[in-house]
């Protein structure tokens, strides 16, 4: 049974970089893609991007200039970096596992609320 | 970007009734890569349906998905108290994912 857990700071200052880590326990990490998804307060879900441990990455076009997702297979972790944050980046950030060929997310972390404020 | 519009925004029903939630895409959803999620407050979203109509593991058959192209429906029969939550549709196409804005299913 796969489990995902987000970790990282809960408060980030405007213009700085938001960094989160997702640790994956259980399951195979090489046969899936690994995503970050966020939910601003009172709003819906927004896909940020995904990575595949074989090296492929893909990002939401609206965030592409500020986002990087990388992975460390030996630690069973993947990371999100979002630069130049503003209050609009305040959200609950989820990591999730996705299935190739059918393209849905079957396992999610519990979420990490990140607030951007000075 | 393939924009997903869900309706209604809020649906008020009683336990035991049936719910019909709609998801309309601005462009055809290729391969019918359309999924539905249930999201309860403070919890992670849970996939219910993928591939437009395939029920995810462990999901009761009260939940069913239908549709193709640009119009999709999630039907929940015999509503139980734990079904009252927010529901999102999600599509994949052109190497990108988008979600609908959600339908809140509340107890009448």
């Amino acid at each position: 049974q796969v489990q995902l857990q987000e970790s990282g700071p809960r408060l980030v200052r405007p213009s700085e970089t938001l960094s989160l880590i997702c640790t994956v326990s259980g399951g195979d990490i090489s046969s899936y893609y690994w995503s970050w998804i966020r939910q601003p307060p009172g709003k819906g879900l927004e896909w940020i991007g995904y990575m595949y441990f074989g090296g492929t990455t893909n990002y939401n076009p609206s965030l592409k200039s500020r986002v990087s997702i990388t992975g460390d297979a030996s630690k069973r972790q993947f990371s999100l970096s979002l630069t130049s944050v503003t209050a609009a980046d305040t959200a609950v950030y989820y990591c999730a596992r996705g299935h190739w060929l059918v393209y849905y997310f079957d396992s999610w972390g519990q979420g990490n609320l990140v607030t951007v404020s000075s | 970007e393939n924009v997903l519009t869900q309706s209604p925004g809020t649906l008020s029903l009683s336990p035991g009734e049936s719910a019909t939630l709609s998801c309309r895409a601005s462009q055809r959803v290729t391969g019918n890569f359309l999924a539905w999620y249930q999201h309860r407050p403070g919890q992670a979203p849970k996939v219910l349906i993928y591939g437009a109509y395939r029920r995810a593991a462990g999901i009761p058959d009260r939940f069913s998905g239908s549709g193709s192209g640009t119009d999709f429906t999630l039907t929940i029969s015999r509503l139980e108290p734990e079904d009252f939550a927010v529901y999102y549709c999600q599509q994949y196409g052109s190497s990108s994912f988008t979600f609908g804005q959600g339908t809140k299913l509340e107890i009448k």
Side-chain angles (χ1 to χ4, degrees):
Chain A
Q1 181 78 358
V2 66
Q3 289 188 320
L4 293 83
Q5 179 66 57
E6 304 91 349
S7 59
R10 303 209 175 242
L11 180 65
V12 180
R13 307 230 180 264
S15 80
E16 295 188 346
T17 296
L18 181 159
S19 297
L20 293 172
I21 292 173
C22 183
T23 302
V24 182
S25 56
D28 171 23
I29 63 170
S30 61
S31 301
Y32 300 90
Y33 56 88
W34 304 91
S35 271
W36 289 96
I37 296 160
R38 70 181 183 179
Q39 183 177 34
K43 296 188 178 181
L45 299 167
E46 179 182 34
W47 172 70
I48 298 170
Y50 70 70
M51 64 148 285
Y52 174 55
F53 277 99
T56 303
T57 57
N58 193 25
Y59 304 125
N60 186 323
S62 69
L63 298 169
K64 189 173 185 176
S65 63
R66 299 194 291 129
V67 171
S68 176
I69 298 176
T70 59
D72 185 334
S74 65
K75 294 182 178 179
R76 298 180 62 89
Q77 292 179 334
F78 63 104
S79 303
L80 169 69
S81 176
L82 181 65
T83 62
S84 304
V85 297
T86 69
D89 295 308
T90 293
V92 176
Y93 285 77
Y94 296 97
C95 57
R97 184 180 80 169
H99 282 255
W100 291 113
L101 302 181
V102 285
Y103 302 107
Y104 70 97
F105 304 102
D106 71 338
S107 296
W108 298 61
Q110 283 302 303
N112 185 331
L113 174 60
V114 180
T115 301
V116 178
S117 175
S118 55
Chain B
E1 175 180 300
N2 197 348
V3 176
L4 301 181
T5 302
Q6 293 186 240
S7 61
T10 302
L11 186 56
S12 300
L13 294 169
S14 301
E17 293 188 301
S18 293
T20 301
L21 286 67
S22 174
C23 176
R24 175 163 288 179
S26 62
Q27 305 167 36
R28 179 176 167 271
V29 178
T30 56
N32 281 338
F33 296 133
L34 192 289
W36 290 92
Y37 299 84
Q38 178 190 69
H39 195 190
R40 297 188 183 117
Q43 297 186 18
K46 179 171 73 173
V47 63
L48 303 171
I49 301 289
Y50 66 94
Y53 62 88
R54 299 177 190 278
R55 211 173 294 116
I59 301 303
D61 60 8
R62 300 184 297 102
F63 293 87
S64 63
S66 63
S68 64
T70 60
D71 289 292
F72 299 87
T73 300
L74 174 69
T75 302
I76 313 170
S77 59
R78 305 182 304 280
L79 284 167
E80 298 193 1
E82 61 267 27
D83 297 337
F84 292 91
V86 179
Y87 292 83
Y88 294 97
C89 56
Q90 166 251 305
Q91 71 84 38
Y92 171 83
S94 301
S95 301
S96 187
F97 295 86
T98 53
F99 289 88
Q101 83 281 15
T103 289
K104 181 180 181 180
L105 178 57
E106 64 177 23
I107 298 177
K108 187 174 182 179

